[in-house]
Amino acid sequence: MIAHKDLVPLGRVGDSPQETFVLNLGPQHPAAHGVLRVLLTMDGEWIQRAEPIIGYIHRMHEKMGENRTWAKFLPNTSRIDYLSAMHYTHAFVGAVERAAKIEVPLRAEYARVITSELNRISSHMVWWGALLLDLGGFTPILYAFDDREKILDLLEALCGARLTYCYYRFGGLYNDVDDAFLKGTRDFVAHLRPRLKMYRDLVTDNIILRKRLTGIGPISADLCRRYGATGPVIRGAGVAYDVRRAEPYSVYPKLDFKIPTYSEADSMARYLVRMDEMEESLHIIEQALDQIPTGPFLGKVPRVLKLPVGDTCYAVEAARGRFMVRIVSDGKEIPYRVKLRTPSFSNLSLYEEASKGMILPDALAMMGSLDLVIPDIDR
Amino acid sequence: MNPTLEQLTEHFKGLTAAAAVPADGPAESVSPTPVLVVVQAVDFALKGFHLDVAVGPAQVVAAAEVADRAGFGIDSITGVDWLAQNEMEVVYDFFHPTSPLRVVVRARVPRGSPELPTIGGVFPGANWHERETHDFFGIRFTGNPNLKPFLLPEDATFHPLLKDYKP
């Protein structure tokens, strides 16, 4: 494991007394992927301090949670990280099921795994295309969106939404996975494997991409721990932390998959983790398609849902890392408190420390490798 | 160094003794009435965490140090407004990157003067979570260098997650 102190950014200048200037980046900036603002104190080309300023699309989801029933808050959770909606609804549904001790039929659990992993691939494809855009390569996003479209079509046929899915319900699913979906998913897995190889040949092994990402933006395992960064960021620092294994949920314990890690801790490591994860997701989907049993897709759920008094947590591995819902119930139909612990918030919080001494284009490449979704930060 | 649940329980229980007998430093820096640390192992399948630690507001930094030494990472910090009891609860969540362990540390502060020390010195990632908790509840984390509005508008003077908040 690499200690943070050993990872000195390439362009760090000494403590030469230089005149600094303030540079404002955002909140409307294409590299920020949404309304993120970064206030930069620059020492020539080098960043002395980069302070992220957030909250521009804050919607106070947590307050909305306190004035509607448990079921009515469910659609909110798919609108936090709009690229990873399946995982987010999974965490909220899981928290309520855990607190109310609702049994979920096995078929529903397998369907959740299949749709969650499809969502992980579609999310990583947006990240991949957008990162390449940031780095100046326009073509890859067109390939990525072409393949992603197939996932969106599959999920749209299943639950009616293309992005803000609300497919999971307390105790199961909104409707059953039909044969057309299962066959379409199997076809998609066969389709994507050679495409991922093409991505690797065209982009991952491209010398320009390698030069832009290798050694850039080191984020050590200890830095991740002290800031709570998870997902591909901590796995890119060599730590095999994955909520699917650390806090097993759904039917993940029954499925075989690797946790891709790279110990280089740079932007390229985070890139490679996500590329490998797409292949692992395909592997998971295949197993789940083989194992999915017939049977009911919705368990027994009381009409009026009142959770027992106390607090309950439920975490999932979302596309960007650990997403946790912490609910507090006072025994009424309406939540007493809903806390949403989002991965992008924690992953961005280390940006100020990690970007010190970098040049701005490298810092933006590192920001791209963090895969930020701004509504996930602002909530 | 992956701690076991038993070791962790012992470490957190040790906080009670540490508060009662200050090892060094002036006596007035210690809470006048040391609060008993209650450590409870809970069923993960029912609650989503393994260890529930209730400490006094003055002990949160020591509790964070215990978590830090055991290799935990900061998960989140948040508040709960218990209007009926006239208290506010601050909840610290920790996750462990290399062993399947989750710890929750909670402290209660009076609603009239919600104040407790920052743990930003132990976990720098706590700064943002504390700013957010200050935004939503008005809980003051003494020592946090940047308790200005964070997610709320820059001129916000209200705390929307207080149970008696009226828009």
Side-chain angles (χ1 to χ4, degrees), chain A residues 70-180:
Chain A
W70 297 100
K72 280 183 180 167
F73 185 65
L74 180 57
N76 280 65
T77 55
S78 68
R79 283 147 178 87
I80 302 163
D81 177 352
Y82 52 83
L83 294 177
S84 186
M86 286 290 183
H87 309 122
Y88 280 56
T89 47
H90 198 168
F92 182 66
V93 161
V96 172
E97 285 162 358
R98 183 172 273 169
K101 298 194 181 72
I102 297 172
E103 292 270 338
V104 183
L106 207 53
R107 184 174 176 82
E109 291 284 22
Y110 275 101
R112 284 179 181 183
V113 166
I114 295 170
T115 48
S116 278
E117 294 307 318
L118 281 175
N119 197 184
R120 190 182 316 279
I121 297 172
S122 73
S123 171
H124 281 1
M125 278 177 170
V126 175
W127 155 80
W128 185 70
L131 172 75
L132 269 296
L133 270 185
D134 287 354
L135 300 179
F138 187 77
T139 322
I141 197 169
L142 302 173
Y143 285 89
F145 269 57
D146 192 17
D147 289 333
R148 174 176 172 265
E149 194 66 18
K150 293 182 170 43
I151 300 177
L152 300 193
D153 286 345
L154 282 169
L155 295 177
E156 185 186 14
L158 202 58
C159 65
R162 290 174 65 79
L163 215 55
T164 49
Y165 317 110
C166 199
Y167 180 50
Y168 307 158
R169 291 290 190 278
F170 306 142
L173 306 167
Y174 153 67
N175 65 0
D176 199 3
V177 283
D178 54 5
D179 292 342

Side-chain angles (χ1 to χ4, degrees), chain A residues 242-370:
Chain A
D242 188 315
V243 181
R244 289 173 293 181
R245 286 283 187 247
E247 297 171 28
Y249 59 97
S250 196
V251 286
Y252 283 111
K254 295 182 187 174
L255 301 168
D256 162 65
F257 61 95
K258 290 200 293 286
I259 305 173
T261 58
Y262 285 84
S263 56
E264 289 82 359
D266 57 0
S267 299
M268 194 68 207
R270 296 187 282 279
Y271 175 98
L272 291 171
V273 164
R274 291 195 187 89
M275 298 312 273
D276 288 2
E277 268 178 25
M278 285 199 257
E279 306 215 3
E280 284 304 317
S281 290
L282 290 180
H283 182 49
I284 295 172
I285 291 169
E286 266 185 336
Q287 294 172 62
L289 286 172
D290 290 340
Q291 294 175 21
I292 188 168
T294 52
F297 62 89
L298 193 62
K300 268 183 91 73
V301 184
R303 272 189 83 82
V304 177
L305 190 61
K306 288 181 183 170
L307 301 194
V309 177
D311 56 350
T312 313
C313 300
Y314 198 95
V316 297
E317 183 68 29
R320 275 150 204 85
R322 177 186 169 77
F323 173 64
M324 184 180 76
V325 173
R326 157 179 280 286
I327 54 175
V328 182
S329 172
D330 59 350
K332 297 204 179 72
E333 281 172 60
I334 291 172
Y336 192 76
R337 174 91 178 90
V338 182
K339 160 73 185 168
L340 307 162
R341 186 269 187 220
T342 56
S344 292
F345 183 91
S346 299
N347 291 0
L348 179 66
S349 68
L350 53 73
Y351 192 72
E352 182 170 337
E353 186 167 335
S355 66
K356 244 177 216 141
M358 290 174 82
I359 61 170
L360 187 54
D362 283 351
L364 290 181
M366 178 180 84
M367 190 188 276
S369 79
L370 291 177

Side-chain angles (χ1 to χ4, degrees), chain B residues 12-79:
Chain B
F12 278 113
K13 277 187 176 155
L15 290 175
T16 311
V21 191
D24 50 0
E28 57 266 53
S29 71
V30 184
S31 153
T33 47
V35 182
L36 188 72
V37 177
V38 183
V39 188
Q40 218 181 346
V42 290
D43 184 359
F44 182 85
L46 295 177
K47 298 295 268 180
F49 45 92
H50 297 94
L51 211 55
D52 194 332
V53 184
V55 301
Q59 290 158 306
V60 290
V61 180
E65 280 166 353
V66 169
D68 182 42
R69 275 197 297 274
F72 279 88
I74 179 82
D75 197 355
S76 79
I77 301 173
T78 192

